[in-house]
Amino acid sequence: MSTKKSPLNRLRRSLGLETQNEWPSVARERLLAYGLLAVYVLVIWFPIYYIFITSLKPSSEVLSLPITFLPQDPTAQNYVDIFTNRPFDNYTINSMIVATTTTLICITLGTVTGYSFSRFDFMGNKSLLLSIVGARMIPPIALIVPFFQIMSNPPLVGGFTGSLYDTRLALILTYTFFNLPFAVWIMKNYFDGIPESLDEQARIDGCSRWEAFVKIILPMAKPGIAATAILAFIFSWNEFVFALVLTSSEQAQTLPIAVSLFVADDFVDWAHLAAGGMIAALPGILFGLFFQQYIVSGLTQGAVKE
Amino acid sequence: MSIEKSPLRRKLDKLFVPLTVGPTLLWIAAIIVYPTAKLLFSSFQFRNPVTNEMEFVGLRNFRRLIFAREGGQAALGVFNPSFVSITTNTAIYVGFSVSISFLLGLGIALLLDKDLKGRGWFRTAVIVPWILPYVMSGLMWRWMFQSDFGAINGALQRLGIISGNIPFLSDGALAMVALIIADVWVFTPFIIIILLAGLQNVPEQLYDAAEVDGASRWSRFWNVTYPFLKPSILVALTIRIIFDIRALDLVWVMTQGGPGKSTEVWASWLYRTAQVFNEPGSGAALGVVLLAVTFAIVASLYKIFGESPYQA
C-alpha cells in the first residue's frame, strides 16, 4: 500500500483547500449513511412489528380483509389464552431449565478448560484444542439419528436403564454438544488476552495454581464469561430441531416447539401463534437490546482470533 | 508470605491440567465421538420392514441415496433424480442466501463502521433478527407471505403494485424466493457483526493516506479494507455456508420442503427420511454425506483464501 503524498496534494493541504472541500461531502455522506441505515432498520423490524400487532388482534381481526397494520381493537386475550388453554407455563419453565442448566455446564467446563488451554503446554494440547473446535463443524442434523437412538435407548451406565426420550435431561445433554466447544474456544481466546505475568505474580505471592486462577484471573474474565453465557443461553433457548426429535409432551417440550404446535396441517391459529412467538422471542429481544456488546464480543472472539 | 506448600496443595497443582481439561474431553467424547461413531455404524444398516431388525447392508444405503435404481438394483453412474434435484435446491438456497446476505451485510457493516452518532443504537437494532428463535422467524415469514392475510400482499396491494394476491408459498419458485428472503433476514446480522469486528483491524491512517492520494472509493476498499477484512470474510462465509446446508428450522416451518419437492433441501430430506419415513439407515447415510460435504467445503474455502482454519 503506497502512502506517499503527491506534490499536488501537499499543496492543496498547505492551502487548506482540502478541509474546505471535504466538509460538505462528508456531511452529505453521513446523511446518506443515516438514511440507508434507517431504511434498513425499518425494513428488518417490520416483520417483528407485524407479528407483535398480530398477537394483539382478536382472531376475527386477524382473518379479516382488508388487513390492518394497526390493531383496531388491541387485546391481551391471546396471551391469556395460551397460558390458560395451553400449557405455556410448562413450556416456559422447560425452556428456562434447559437453557440455564446448559449454560451453567458450558461456562463452568468452558472456563476451566479454556484457561488450561490458554496457559499450559501439555501433551497434544494443540491438536486437542483443534479437535474440540472442529467438533463445532459437525453438522448437528447429521447426528439426529444417533442422538434419537441413544436417548431412546441409552447405553448402560451405572445400572441406568431408563429412556431419556422426552426428558429435559436429554435436551441439556444434547445442547452441551453445540455449546461446550464454542465456550472452550471463546474462553481460551479471552484468557489469551489476560497477561500471563498476573498469574506469575500471584504464584510468587504464594497462591496455588487454583487460587491464582480463582482469585486473580477469573474476576478479570467476567466479560468473557458473560459473553459465553449469553450466547449459550440464546442458542439453547432457540434450539428447535433436536427438541422436535427428542421430546413429545409438555413435560419436556420447549417454547420453539410450543410455537410450532399452532400449525396444524392446513390450519394455522395465527393470533395465538403470534402471542406464543412473542413469548419465545422475548429473551432474544431483551438480550439484543441490553447486552448487545457482550453478544458481539463473544461472537467475534469465538469466530475471529484477534 | 509463605512460599511453602502443603503436599496436598502441591498434588492438586500438579493435577491442574488433567482436572480442568479432563472432564470436558470426556464429556465431548461422550456426546460427539460416540454419536458420530454410531452414525457411521447406522449408515451401514437397514431396518428390515418385516422383522423390524437392523441388518448390515454395507454400502447399500449410499448407493440407494446417490444412484438411480434399475430393476431393484442401484445402477452405478446413473444418478438418483431426487438426489440431483435436492442437491440443486440446496445449492440454489445456500448460494443465493449466502451471497445476498454477504453483500448486504458488507454494505451495512461499512456504513456502521463510519463515525456516526447513535452507531451503538443502530448496531443493537440490526442484530436482533439473528437472536430470535429461528422457528419463530420462519413462522413469522410464513405469516408475512400468507396469500390472503399476509402483510406482503397487503402492503403491495395498498401501494398499488399488484391487484391480486400472490400465492408466495404455494408456487415452487416463489416459495424458494420466500425462503431465501427469510434466510437473508435471519443471518445478515451475523455477517454484519463478524465484518464489523474485522473492520476494526484496519488502521485508520491507511484510510487517510489513501484519501490524500486521491484513491477512488473502490480502490480504497480493494487495497486498504479488503486485505485486513479477508480473515473475517473467510470466517463469515464458512460459518454461513455450513449453517445453511444443515439448517432445517426455517425450511421446515415455512414450506416443509414443498410445494411438491420444490424447496426440499438436504436437511429437510434427512429429517424426513430418518424421522417421518423411519429409515434410520438412509438418514444416517445422508448424514455421513452431509458431514463429508461440510468438511470438503471448509477445506476448499480455506484453500481458496489460503489461511489455516484455526490459528491455534
Side-chain angles (χ1 to χ4, degrees), chain A residues 1-5 9 13 29-30 33-34 36-38 40-41 44-48 50-51 54 62-67 69 105 109 112-113 115-117 120 122 126 128-130 132-133 135-150 155 173 176-177 180-181 184-185 203 205-211 213 231 234-235 238 240-241 244-245 256 259-260 263 265 268 270 273 277 280-281 284-285 288-289 292 295-296 299-300 303-306, chain B residues 1-3 5 9 12-13 15-17 19-21 23-25 27-28 31-32 34-36 38-39 42 104 108 111-112 114-118 120-136 139-144 146 148-151 154-155 158 185 188-190 192-194 197 201 206 209-214 217 223-224 232 235 238-239 242 246 248-249 252-253 267 270-271 274-275 280 283-284 287 290-291 294-295 298 310-312:
Chain A
M1 190 45 233
S2 116
T3 52
K4 59 174 186 273
K5 297 166 178 115
N9 276 327
R13 275 194 142 186
E29 219 166 86
R30 251 173 219 212
Y34 275 124
L36 288 173
L37 283 173
Y40 180 75
V41 168
I44 63 164
W45 273 78
F46 178 73
I48 301 174
Y50 190 64
I51 201 97
T54 303
V62 169
L63 296 181
S64 71
L65 289 171
I67 64 166
F69 288 100
I105 294 175
L109 289 178
V112 292
T113 309
Y115 177 76
S116 273
F117 274 118
F120 301 106
F122 50 92
K126 282 201 174 136
L128 272 181
L129 184 63
L130 259 179
I132 289 181
V133 177
R136 261 174 73 198
M137 294 272 173
I138 296 175
I141 193 167
L143 297 183
I144 216 168
V145 175
F147 265 108
F148 177 74
Q149 292 167 338
I150 292 167
L173 293 174
T176 55
F177 148 57
L180 185 53
V184 171
W185 185 241
R203 301 268 290 140
D205 288 349
C207 286
S208 71
R209 284 211 185 289
W210 297 91
E211 284 167 343
F213 171 60
L231 284 170
I234 290 177
F235 290 152
N238 291 351
F240 171 68
V241 178
L244 183 65
V245 175
V259 176
S260 76
V263 181
D265 290 329
V268 184
W270 289 112
L273 186 151
I285 294 176
L289 293 181
Q292 174 257 118
I295 296 168
V296 172
L299 205 60
T300 47
V304 201
K305 197 184 171 190
E306 279 162 78
Chain B
M1 266 162 279
S2 84
I3 305 184
K5 290 169 190 160
R9 275 181 64 167
L12 273 177
D13 263 13
L15 288 174
F16 191 89
V17 171
L19 282 176
T20 51
V21 178
T24 302
L25 284 182
W27 189 272
I28 286 182
I31 55 177
I32 294 177
Y34 180 63
T36 309
K38 208 161 162 56
L39 172 80
S42 302
L104 188 61
I108 300 295
L111 287 176
L112 279 175
K114 286 177 189 295
D115 188 20
L116 297 174
K117 261 194 196 125
W121 190 89
F122 273 119
R123 211 163 69 162
T124 299
V126 158
I127 198 181
V128 166
W130 182 72
I131 324 171
L132 302 183
Y134 302 143
V135 168
M136 127 82 187
L139 290 168
M140 185 188 75
W141 278 102
R142 184 166 158 181
W143 175 225
M144 298 275 294
Q146 214 267 356
D148 299 317
F149 307 102
R158 201 156 297 183
W185 184 85
T188 305
F190 175 79
I192 296 175
I193 296 168
I194 302 294
N201 295 336
L206 282 186
E211 200 144 350
V212 171
D213 272 359
R217 194 176 295 243
N223 295 313
V224 181
S232 307
V235 166
T238 313
I239 298 182
I242 296 174
R246 64 166 112 162
L248 176 65
D249 319 45
W252 195 254
V253 298
L270 199 168
Y271 179 74
Q275 286 296 312
L290 204 55
L291 205 75
T294 304
F295 280 111
V298 176
Y310 300 104
Q311 299 136 304

Side-chain angles (χ1 to χ4, degrees), chain A residues 2 30 89 100 168 209 294:
Chain A
S2 116
R30 251 173 219 212
D89 41 354
T100 313
R168 295 186 284 236
R209 284 211 185 289
Y294 288 113

